[in-house]
Amino acid sequence: MPRRVPVLIVGGGPVGLALAGELGWRGIACELVEQTDGAIVAPKMNEVNARSMEICRRWGIADRVFNCPFPADFPLDVAFVTSLSGHELSRLPRPGRNSQQPVPESPHRMQACSQIWFDPILKDFAASFPGVRLRYRCRLDAFTQSATGVTAQLSDLAGGQTEQIEADYLVGCDGAGSLVRRALGIEIMGEGTIGHPINLFFRAPNLIERCGKKPATFFLGIDQTGLWGSLRIIDPVNGLWRLMIDSTDGNATPETVDREFYLRRALGGSFAVEWVDVNIWRRRSALAQRYGRDRVHLAGDAVHQLSPTGGMGMNTGVADAADIGWKLAAVLDGWGGAGLLESYDRERRPVGARAVRMATWFYKNAENFPKSSAALGEDSADGARLRSTIGQELLRAIGPEFRTVGLQLGYRYEGSPICVPDGTPEPPDDPAEVTPSARPGSRAPHVTLRDGRSILDLYGRGFVLLRFGGAPDGLAIEQAARQRRVPLQCVGLDEPPAAALYERKLVLVRPDGHVAWRADAPPVDALAMIDRVRGAGHESAR
Ligand SMILES: Cc1cc2nc3c(=O)[nH]c(=O)nc-3n(C[C@H](O)[C@H](O)[C@H](O)COP(=O)(O)OP(=O)(O)OC[C@H]3O[C@@H](n4cnc5c(N)ncnc54)[C@H](O)[C@@H]3O)c2cc1C
């Protein structure tokens, strides 16, 4: 008889690992299969955004991400340069984490933490749960599903054996080429490939000092052809860099790329470096038609493929994992209704579309940035004037890519079948600014409580019914939740700033920290409300 697991996760990139951790944290056993050995030679992701940090906070690992080896005093500035040893046109200051002031919208900010550190933190977190099994060098070859489960064929790539395994649910976190998505016959829609960048990884300690620049994390290279590439310091301590070349014809191969040419162009001279890797990839703008079918779901790059401009790819995938994770746990624990898993697509797909749209817009702002003249690099008064003008223009045109707190925290589940709308209008969706809101569907906003905790620290395990000063009792809601075996904790708060922000006396927050319902009085039919937020609205209406 094949073994049976509650959840089989395909893919051990950051999204699969995040899902394994989320399920383990909720006490759900799962098995993750990853075809590689998990080593990261050419890291993609470098920025863990504020929402991912809040999710890590819930899991108890935010401090580990915060204290990753990226130096605390290293500025996260973005500088526009003719080359690393050439002229600096302008700079967007972004303080390193030691100099960051607290912000009102979140206990966290975006964190520089490359995948070389983030993935191992997620892996350790997931592996800390006895019910989570992580299998490297293990590949999913095929699967079928029926009304009662999924049967998957696996290959152990180290030993050469094949194996059949059964699962209640399968989640494909298997990246852009997703076998799981293709096997489900789900199309990927959108512009598709919008560029063929080349990433060159190299080591060069003290390069910034050697090139006479003030420290920054990101140097965007501009010459008379426009913005042509970028240099990013991934690990300042060990001098690990990534040079990304945007304007290529897509015909290069790792063997034919003239690395030294691009390096000289980026650095403005010849510098000895230790080459680490060459990686040619496709910049994409695409979204899957749907996020799964029946017992098989998809998350991360398997469903949304977006330009890294704006740093939203993995971060959107981590939030996918947090959404599907609590829903799978609820269904496997027996209190989630038949519509709960269906709501995953309804809630997350529009968020994926928003991320794809914004990332593509950011990229096109850079791609279409006007060409200038050779004077840009000249040591002359004309050159200085031109650099000053273009420097300001760059801050205006490209700056929004680096001011995205609204994009990170302002997404919401509009029209979700498991949230109860309260008739209030949608707040603005501005990528640069977040309008904190406890309107159903929104991320329940952060506020610091009297004891210094974030209100977000109350959320996570089950539903939380907040009762602000003078609220009617929540007994009917608690009783309905008990009747349906929905985990719910009632928390009374005498906290005027929080009460003002949340705007209603009773606010029901879901296990993922999104608002499900709010009002000044208990609902007329508390059982119907609880059924709706647990995904059994249709069942109770029958
Ligand atoms: C240059 C660059 C910079 C980026 N910077 C950022 C950033 O700063 N912030 C951000 O949020 N995002 C960023 N991204 C995007 C981010 O890297 C991706 O969105 C993220 O890696 C997606 O994670 P994933 O787990 O969904 O997929 P992947 O990372 O692609 O992982 C999928 C995994 O599935 C495995 N797999 C596939 N098929 C099978 C199979 N059949 N059986 C077993 N295993 C399988 C693969 O081996 C792989 O390990 C960047 C991307 C690039 C290219």
Side-chain angles (χ1 to χ4, degrees):
M1 285 287 286
R3 280 184 311 118
R4 189 169 178 110
V5 292
V7 183
L8 177 64
I9 301 168
V10 184
V15 175
L17 289 170
L19 178 58
E22 166 81 14
L23 290 171
W25 188 76
R26 295 192 182 281
I28 300 296
C30 61
E31 187 156 318
L32 177 152
V33 294
E34 164 58 46
Q35 63 191 1
T36 71
D37 63 5
I40 302 158
V41 182
K44 295 188 278 186
M45 176 297 282
N46 288 291
E47 296 192 347
V48 179
N49 78 15
R51 184 56 181 156
S52 296
M53 286 299 287
E54 291 178 355
I55 293 170
C56 288
R57 180 187 183 92
R58 187 197 312 151
W59 294 334
I61 59 170
D63 284 352
R64 293 189 57 193
V65 183
F66 187 78
N67 293 316
C68 79
F70 195 91
D73 54 355
F74 200 88
L76 306 178
D77 292 7
V78 179
F80 297 96
V81 293
T82 53
S83 71
L84 198 59
S85 55
H87 297 281
E88 179 169 319
L89 283 72
S90 55
R91 174 177 285 251
L92 198 89
R94 297 193 305 170
R97 65 178 187 275
N98 264 2
S99 329
Q100 291 173 348
Q101 297 301 313
V103 284
E105 60 269 6
S106 174
H108 297 283
R109 287 174 179 246
M110 183 279 287
Q111 179 64 45
C113 177
S114 160
Q115 212 171 351
I116 52 175
W117 303 306
F118 190 60
D119 282 19
I121 292 171
L122 290 177
K123 184 179 165 188
D124 285 357
F125 170 62
S128 70
F129 300 103
V132 175
R133 183 174 179 206
L134 306 178
R135 293 176 69 184
Y136 286 87
R137 305 271 290 131
C138 182
R139 186 183 64 212
L140 172 88
D141 292 326
F143 67 89
T144 55
Q145 63 169 321
S146 69
T148 55
V150 181
T151 304
Q153 314 296 328
L154 306 179
S155 287
D156 177 335
L157 301 176
Q161 305 92 333
T162 58
E163 184 195 344
Q164 187 162 304
I165 183 173
E166 291 190 346
D168 293 330
Y169 297 96
L170 183 150
V171 187
C173 304
D174 49 346
S178 178
L179 177 149
V180 179
R181 188 194 65 241
R182 285 180 285 120
L184 291 174
I186 295 175
E187 298 278 318
I188 193 108
M189 318 285 286
E191 278 187 68
T193 300
I194 54 173
H196 296 89
I198 300 171
N199 283 355
L200 303 175
F201 293 87
F202 62 89
R203 268 183 218 288
N206 307 321
L207 186 60
I208 298 180
E209 296 84 329
R210 280 154 67 198
C211 288
K213 282 283 164 301
K214 244 171 68 184
T217 300
F218 216 9
F219 293 91
L220 278 82
I222 179 156
D223 60 17
Q224 65 268 35
T225 66
L227 280 163
W228 68 272
S230 63
L231 274 164
R232 175 168 201 122
I233 186 147
I234 295 171
D235 177 356
V237 176
N238 294 300
L240 179 64
W241 287 84
R242 182 196 70 208
L243 167 58
M244 186 192 293
I245 299 117
D246 286 315
S247 48
T248 80
D249 57 12
N251 293 323
T253 65
E255 295 71 35
T256 61
V257 174
D258 189 346
R259 301 183 301 193
E260 297 293 342
F261 165 77
Y262 286 123
L263 189 71
R264 273 196 306 278
R265 188 174 176 192
L267 304 186
S270 289
F271 291 83
V273 304
E274 179 198 337
W275 289 107
V276 174
D277 198 48
V278 178
N279 187 249
I280 299 181
W281 53 286
R282 287 184 298 162
R283 193 186 292 274
R284 306 261 304 154
S285 175
L287 183 74
Q289 266 177 326
R290 47 191 296 169
Y291 273 27
R293 223 186 271 289
D294 305 322
R295 288 178 173 270
V296 180
H297 301 274
L298 297 158
D301 279 17
V303 276
H304 39 75
Q305 294 153 20
L306 46 139
S307 168
T309 35
M312 288 300 291
M314 181 213 67
N315 288 302
T316 306
V318 166
D320 294 341
D323 189 273
I324 191 67
W326 79 266
K327 292 172 179 173
L328 283 168
V331 170
L332 287 160
D333 282 342
W335 57 266
L340 193 59
L341 291 173
E342 279 167 34
S343 73
Y344 169 62
D345 179 291
R346 290 279 298 275
E347 292 190 338
R348 293 301 305 169
R349 202 169 166 276
V351 179
R354 172 180 180 264
V356 170
R357 195 171 56 245
M358 289 310 302
T360 306
W361 183 70
F362 293 142
Y363 172 62
K364 295 206 166 166
N365 286 344
E367 191 192 25
N368 298 329
F369 194 81
K371 297 184 177 31
S372 65
S373 75
L376 195 68
E378 277 172 13
D379 287 322
S380 64
D382 279 354
R385 258 193 306 277
L386 187 61
R387 286 191 291 278
S388 165
T389 309
I390 292 185
Q392 293 312 306
E393 190 51 29
L394 283 163
L395 291 177
R396 195 195 59 73
I398 312 300
E401 180 187 329
F402 301 97
R403 283 192 295 267
T404 58
V405 70
L407 189 58
Q408 298 170 43
L409 298 174
Y411 63 88
R412 57 231 175 197
Y413 301 144
E414 201 59 32
S416 166
I418 60 164
C419 294
V420 186
D422 67 354
T424 52
E426 261 194 271
D429 185 9
D430 179 347
E433 303 275 338
V434 62
T435 308
S437 168
R439 187 170 167 272
S442 307
R443 154 191 166 274
H446 156 74
V447 60
T448 304
L449 301 177
R450 272 201 200 95
D451 62 9
R453 279 182 308 164
S454 165
I455 198 169
L456 305 188
D457 295 339
L458 300 175
Y459 315 142
R461 289 288 175 192
F463 280 84
V464 172
L465 178 62
L466 298 172
R467 287 182 59 232
F468 290 105
D473 72 49
L475 286 176
I477 297 171
E478 287 181 83
Q479 159 80 32
R482 252 195 316 276
Q483 197 174 330
R484 297 297 198 227
R485 299 198 304 110
V486 171
L488 181 145
Q489 195 199 356
C490 191
V491 178
L493 285 178
D494 182 15
E495 300 268 353
L501 190 61
Y502 279 63
E503 296 179 318
R504 299 289 182 276
K505 294 199 166 79
L506 294 167
V507 181
L508 184 64
V509 181
R510 317 188 315 186
D512 63 345
H514 280 253
V515 177
W517 168 89
R518 68 173 181 174
D520 285 328
V524 179
D525 186 344
L527 201 57
M529 187 273 277
I530 286 292
D531 277 343
R532 176 151 180 188
V533 301
R534 73 182 181 94
H538 297 301
E539 290 156 45
S540 75
R542 273 202 290 270

